[in-house]
Amino acid sequence: MNKSSKTACQAPFGQKPAGRLEDSFFDAVVCGAGPAGSTAAALLADKGFRVLLLDQAAFPRDKVCGDLLVADAIRSLDRLGLLSAVREKAFRAEKFVATSPGRVEIPVGGEYLTLKRRELDALLAARAVEAGAVFCKGKVETVKPSATGPAKIFVAGRTEPLTARVALAATGARANCLRQAGMLEKPRPTAVATRFYVRSPAGPDYLVAAFDRAVIPGYAWIFPVGDDTYNIGCGVFLDQNGKGKPNLKNMLDAFCADYPLARGIMARATEVSPMGGAPMRCGLSGCGLVADNVVSIGETAGATLPLTGEGIGKSMETAIFAAEAVSRALLTHDLSALESYPARVEEKLRPTYDAHALAQRWASVAPVSDFIARRAQNSQKLKDALAGIMHETTDPRDIFSVRGVLRLLLPRPPRLFRKKS
Ligand SMILES: Cc1cc2nc3c(=O)[nH]c(=O)nc-3n(C[C@H](O)[C@H](O)[C@H](O)COP(=O)(O)OP(=O)(O)OC[C@H]3O[C@@H](n4cnc5c(N)ncnc54)[C@H](O)[C@@H]3O)c2cc1C
């Protein structure tokens, strides 16, 4: 548990290639330095464990994303002591406009931050390095759990595996390294999304999420990221078996040509980046959370939310829960302590995912979305409740369900929306 290995590679971001790492044994090896991996690495290194953080990319690196940070991400960044650093760099909006398929607008308030992932993930990885984690570059090919010995982490270009008392898989939606561990129940993604950046003087200073007909079952977004630049993208949920190949480029082109705000931005664009696409693993499903001494966190574990496609905050939350369990297992030399991680996820996070999954199915039915949006125009209470979905103070099923819709038909329903405790 000493931090001598900190010198094994230079601090941000001269990541030494993992193939040249002399130490091969760590308390914890974290595979993937996205929000989940870096959060777990930082928290474990904070406790004094010898932590190796590995990523196949040289940092800082880009990541295809909408770049939006909502309440859960803001809370987790605060927990890591990074919130002021993020607020300093981020674009801050206080308004979020959701539009229904019939283009009825619902403005909702709250704090929303956008920060390009190149910057956000670099801050998080630097936080892990500052805490004492060794940060190296290497592509993890396979993670092998063991109930009696160390976990083995096979890395491209390295003849001998790295070993760890506990390994954490945080490679995002690409979870192939867990295939041999027997943890990967569904290798295919559950959603796909694409985005590009555009610079234009004609955009809004608020965020837009459009449940537009061009992208159902999914939504398109226009998120300002500062400096007259907008992250415009769309995501589509696949059927449960991950089948179907939506043409995201055509969908996004159609949205940009037809949606007035997007059309206005594009008409005065001075710079447009190429489009980038990525798979998503949503719904907290498709991957076991613990096998012997291997733990999956973040999007590898399906941490992205089905309704909103937000996953940064929830990935960090799984990492926080996992780091607590791993820390206990390392301190007590008892792997059974890892079981508190799935237990905590089931108790604290599962209800949110189930609610989002159900709400996502309802929100994909255009007449339902339009009806709810029209009702919200005349009801501050309903607007607040819809905002509460983003801030996790509303159970989405209170709106997007048979019961929810029936209650909206009543002229003055008593106790319309309950707050989640
Ligand atoms: C287009 C799009 C828009 C999105 N918009 C938002 C949004 O606005 N807000 C939000 O909250 N969420 C959004 N999401 C979801 C969000 O991107 C993910 O939930 C989040 O990035 C998951 O974090 P993570 O740390 O689990 O994985 P990732 O962020 O994917 O990080 C995984 C890391 O592992 C590394 N890696 C991968 N394979 C290997 C390997 N074999 N060996 C070593 N390293 C490896 C990668 O280089 C990467 O650095 C969006 C997703 C997409 C695709």
Side-chain angles (χ1 to χ4, degrees):
M1 287 208 293
N2 68 61
K3 294 184 183 172
S4 60
S5 51
K6 189 175 180 181
T7 50
C9 65
Q10 290 153 14
F13 286 107
Q15 295 151 265
K16 185 173 180 172
R20 286 203 272 120
L21 197 59
E22 282 134 34
D23 283 346
S24 64
F25 183 74
F26 293 84
D27 290 319
V29 171
V30 184
C31 309
S38 290
T39 298
L43 294 176
L44 288 167
D46 279 348
K47 300 240 179 216
F49 295 113
R50 294 184 67 227
V51 178
L52 173 66
L53 177 61
L54 272 176
D55 201 287
Q56 65 185 5
F59 270 55
R61 59 99 182 90
D62 194 14
K63 153 82 177 85
V64 173
C65 188
D67 304 325
L68 174 61
L69 302 167
V70 291
D72 54 1
I74 290 172
R75 270 195 314 269
S76 294
L77 287 164
D78 198 21
R79 160 100 190 243
L80 289 175
L82 286 177
L83 187 52
S84 5
V86 168
R87 278 204 179 115
E88 241 169 62
K89 287 172 176 273
F91 179 88
R92 186 172 190 273
E94 288 178 3
K95 189 168 120 182
F96 192 112
V97 175
T99 60
S100 72
R103 304 215 172 139
V104 184
E105 293 192 354
I106 317 161
V108 293
E111 182 185 22
Y112 307 97
L113 301 174
T114 55
L115 183 62
K116 286 187 178 176
R117 290 290 299 274
R118 186 179 170 84
E119 290 190 64
L120 176 74
D121 291 18
L123 278 173
L124 284 159
R127 168 70 176 79
V129 172
E130 275 158 31
V134 178
F135 187 23
C136 288
K137 183 172 176 298
K139 179 171 177 165
V140 177
E141 289 177 332
T142 302
V143 180
K144 274 196 180 163
S146 168
T148 51
K152 291 185 177 153
I153 301 100
F154 293 85
V155 181
R158 197 183 159 91
T159 42
E160 290 300 310
L162 296 163
T163 52
R165 291 172 64 200
V166 176
L168 293 94
T171 53
R174 296 192 165 87
N176 284 346
C177 66
L178 286 182
R179 262 179 203 274
Q180 284 189 36
M183 297 168 78
L184 202 54
E185 292 141 19
K186 286 187 201 154
R188 300 188 61 138
T190 52
V192 285
T194 189
R195 65 96 175 94
F196 64 93
Y197 292 104
V198 50
R199 197 170 212 183
S200 167
D205 60 0
Y206 54 86
L207 300 116
V208 175
F211 289 82
D212 222 52
R213 287 183 198 278
V215 285
I216 274 182
Y219 73 94
W221 65 83
I222 302 170
F223 294 162
V225 292
D227 200 19
D228 282 345
T229 303
Y230 297 86
N231 179 322
I232 300 186
C234 71
V236 175
F237 299 98
L238 305 173
D239 69 32
Q240 286 191 339
N241 299 316
K243 288 185 187 143
K245 281 194 182 160
N247 188 326
L248 288 177
K249 183 183 178 310
N250 285 355
M251 284 175 163
L252 195 51
D253 284 346
F255 172 75
C256 288
D258 190 48
Y259 194 83
L261 201 53
R263 203 170 55 228
I265 292 172
M266 297 311 292
R268 296 185 60 196
T270 53
E271 254 178 82
V272 182
S273 80
M275 245 182 229
M280 293 158 97
R281 292 173 64 81
C282 305
L284 208 54
S285 66
C287 185
L289 297 183
V290 177
D292 296 331
N293 52 359
V294 174
V295 170
S296 74
I297 57 176
E299 197 158 22
T300 299
T304 299
L305 285 166
L307 175 64
T308 59
E310 305 300 323
I312 297 171
K314 284 284 164 284
S315 290
M316 294 176 77
E317 285 180 2
T318 61
I320 291 168
F321 291 166
E324 283 166 10
V326 171
S327 172
R328 262 196 303 280
L330 291 174
L331 285 173
T332 58
H333 295 263
D334 181 1
L335 286 181
S336 70
L338 294 179
E339 290 306 327
S340 66
Y341 166 52
R344 194 115 177 258
V345 165
E346 285 303 313
E347 186 202 346
K348 299 280 183 200
L349 303 183
R350 175 69 65 197
T352 304
Y353 285 87
D354 289 349
H356 271 245
L358 186 70
Q360 187 264 315
R361 288 197 288 278
W362 275 85
S364 298
V365 182
V368 173
S369 281
D370 283 334
F371 167 71
I372 291 169
R374 275 194 297 273
R375 289 306 297 246
Q377 284 195 313
N378 304 317
S379 163
Q380 188 56 43
K381 220 171 178 183
L382 180 52
K383 272 191 202 121
D384 292 345
L386 287 164
I389 294 177
M390 299 290 275
H391 307 306
E392 293 187 63
T393 50
T394 304
D395 182 333
R397 288 168 299 191
D398 288 348
I399 303 168
F400 294 101
S401 62
V402 176
R403 183 172 46 93
V405 171
L406 286 177
R407 285 197 307 186
L408 288 177
L409 289 167
L410 300 173
R412 274 175 183 274
R415 293 169 59 223
L416 186 56
F417 304 107
R418 64 169 184 266
K419 283 216 162 179
K420 278 200 333 180
S421 56

